[in-house]
Amino acid sequence: MKTVLLAIILSVISLPAFSQAEKMREAFYSSYSLEKAGNIPGAISNVQSVYDDKSYECNLRLAYLKYMSKSYDESATYYKASIELRPLAIEPRMGYVLPLIALNKWEEVIAEYKTILTIDSKNSIVNYRLGYIYYARKDFKNAYTHFERVVSLYPFDYDGLIMLAWTNYQLGKSMEAKQLFEKALLYAPNDKSAKDGLGMIK
């Protein structure tokens, strides 16, 4: 009798948690379906109906959806909440830079990319993007640091090769640039950028 009573009590205690998990799953499922159909406000509403500020998944999902709806300040707020919940995670930080870029907050973008690199120094995507920002600013010394890291990790990656080649050219390192332009042409034999670079060195 005691065993049966204990089983009933345990099943009742666990029921609300299971019910909340089911609600969360259904809300996310509906949210994905509505997003696919182009109904972003509806997708947001579904997640908000089960929102828990301690839920990493809720914050991350809403951050993305708010970004898609061009509510960039709100998106950034949810991404920051996700980061606070999982400070060592790369995922929310990569998302966080999206509304920052849309808001033209480039210094904050750079700061966030640098933070990511303190967690994962070999992140090739972040190294490339940070290198590109520096290159666009004509800060070729810092651009070189990041593009060189990309090429050291992916020696036959076109994007890394071509940007490191141009960075070397801008730094006056013609021989290094020439070798990199030639390697880029092995990847893309008709590449205009690499051919232009070689033409400028000759």
Side-chain angles (χ1 to χ4, degrees), residues 80-172:
K80 283 193 285 187
S82 301
I83 290 168
E84 288 173 7
L85 289 166
R86 295 293 181 91
L88 294 179
I90 302 298
E91 182 180 46
R93 295 181 184 278
M94 293 294 281
Y96 181 43
V97 298
L98 298 176
L100 292 180
I101 290 170
L103 292 166
N104 229 10
K105 295 184 176 181
W106 288 100
E107 294 306 320
E108 291 183 44
V109 171
I110 291 171
E112 196 58 44
Y113 279 150
K114 286 182 176 179
T115 300
I116 292 172
L117 291 178
T118 64
I119 300 169
D120 178 14
S121 63
K122 294 183 178 181
N123 190 305
S124 63
I125 295 172
V126 172
N127 273 295
Y128 180 84
R129 290 179 181 175
L130 200 47
Y132 200 89
I133 291 170
Y134 284 129
Y135 188 92
R137 292 182 168 195
K138 301 188 185 304
D139 183 351
F140 302 119
K141 184 178 179 181
N142 275 317
Y144 176 88
T145 298
H146 295 287
F147 288 136
E148 195 278 332
R149 194 170 296 164
V150 172
V151 173
S152 69
L153 293 168
Y154 296 91
F156 199 42
D157 172 74
Y158 169 79
D159 293 320
L161 285 170
I162 199 68
M163 289 310 301
L164 185 58
W166 278 112
T167 303
N168 272 292
Y169 176 80
Q170 297 291 353
L171 290 170

Side-chain angles (χ1 to χ4, degrees), residues 1-201:
M1 182 66 180
K2 288 182 179 179
T3 303
V4 174
L5 184 59
L6 180 61
I8 293 171
I9 292 171
L10 289 173
S11 67
V12 171
I13 291 173
S14 64
L15 187 59
F18 178 77
S19 177
Q20 182 59 27
E22 283 291 306
K23 286 179 182 177
M24 187 82 76
R25 189 178 71 181
E26 287 301 314
F28 270 65
Y29 178 81
S30 297
S31 176
Y32 296 134
S33 299
L34 288 166
E35 179 195 354
K36 188 175 180 180
N39 185 353
I40 302 299
I44 291 171
S45 179
N46 269 267
V47 179
Q48 286 177 329
S49 71
V50 292
Y51 179 69
D52 175 0
D53 63 358
K54 296 295 188 291
S55 167
Y56 170 80
E57 295 78 13
C58 279
N59 281 294
L60 191 70
R61 177 70 178 151
L62 283 173
Y64 166 75
L65 290 171
K66 288 292 184 177
Y67 173 76
M68 293 299 291
S69 69
K70 299 184 179 181
S71 301
Y72 301 127
D73 286 315
E74 288 184 82
S75 173
T77 298
Y78 282 117
Y79 273 124
K80 283 193 285 187
S82 301
I83 290 168
E84 288 173 7
L85 289 166
R86 295 293 181 91
L88 294 179
I90 302 298
E91 182 180 46
R93 295 181 184 278
M94 293 294 281
Y96 181 43
V97 298
L98 298 176
L100 292 180
I101 290 170
L103 292 166
N104 229 10
K105 295 184 176 181
W106 288 100
E107 294 306 320
E108 291 183 44
V109 171
I110 291 171
E112 196 58 44
Y113 279 150
K114 286 182 176 179
T115 300
I116 292 172
L117 291 178
T118 64
I119 300 169
D120 178 14
S121 63
K122 294 183 178 181
N123 190 305
S124 63
I125 295 172
V126 172
N127 273 295
Y128 180 84
R129 290 179 181 175
L130 200 47
Y132 200 89
I133 291 170
Y134 284 129
Y135 188 92
R137 292 182 168 195
K138 301 188 185 304
D139 183 351
F140 302 119
K141 184 178 179 181
N142 275 317
Y144 176 88
T145 298
H146 295 287
F147 288 136
E148 195 278 332
R149 194 170 296 164
V150 172
V151 173
S152 69
L153 293 168
Y154 296 91
F156 199 42
D157 172 74
Y158 169 79
D159 293 320
L161 285 170
I162 199 68
M163 289 310 301
L164 185 58
W166 278 112
T167 303
N168 272 292
Y169 176 80
Q170 297 291 353
L171 290 170
K173 299 178 180 180
S174 297
M175 290 305 297
E176 292 88 340
K178 182 176 183 292
Q179 291 174 356
L180 289 162
F181 282 131
E182 288 172 343
K183 287 184 180 181
L185 285 170
L186 290 177
Y187 185 96
N190 295 314
D191 183 65
K192 184 179 184 302
S193 182
K195 286 183 176 181
D196 287 347
L198 284 175
M200 291 172 74
I201 292 170

